[in-house]
Amino acid sequence: MNFEKVGRSRMMMRLPRHRRQISDANFLAINDLLEAYGLAAMKRDELREQLTPDPTVIGEYEDLCQKLEDDIIKMLAGVSPRMVR
């Protein structure tokens, strides 16, 4: 599965104001963050769907997803137009 693509799509839905930037950004650092976000978000969702989810683990994944979102926003704020497709 292409976790970068999953992460990019989810971030575009999560942050509609940054949709264009997220779509156009294509450099190693942002791609790595988007891949990590895609993987963490999918795992968080899997945990939420369990019959008896562990709230501690879900909380850890929610925190991780939030930190990745924050990192992506910071990175997009400092990106040069040359770094976009």
Side-chain angles (χ1 to χ4, degrees), residues 2-26:
N2 185 340
F3 293 110
E4 178 191 334
K5 186 175 180 178
V6 169
R8 189 177 301 272
S9 297
R10 286 178 177 237
M11 284 301 298
M12 288 169 59
M13 289 188 304
R14 182 89 172 108
L15 304 170
R17 291 183 323 157
H18 298 282
R19 189 170 287 150
R20 175 73 179 202
Q21 277 183 293
I22 295 166
S23 173
D24 292 346
N26 188 20

Side-chain angles (χ1 to χ4, degrees), residues 44-81:
R44 178 198 61 203
D45 293 347
E46 283 178 22
L47 291 168
R48 286 178 177 167
E49 293 174 4
Q50 291 179 348
L51 291 176
T52 55
D54 181 345
T56 303
V57 177
I58 291 174
E60 290 172 2
Y61 273 92
E62 288 174 350
D63 290 345
L64 175 58
C65 288
Q66 184 61 55
K67 287 176 186 175
L68 288 166
E69 288 175 19
D70 294 344
D71 288 347
I72 290 167
I73 291 169
K74 287 177 195 170
M75 188 170 289
L76 290 172
V79 95
S80 164

Side-chain angles (χ1 to χ4, degrees), residues 24-42:
D24 292 346
N26 188 20
F27 52 97
L28 184 59
I30 194 82
N31 293 346
D32 287 348
L33 282 174
L34 291 167
E35 181 178 5
Y37 181 76
L39 186 59
M42 288 186 66

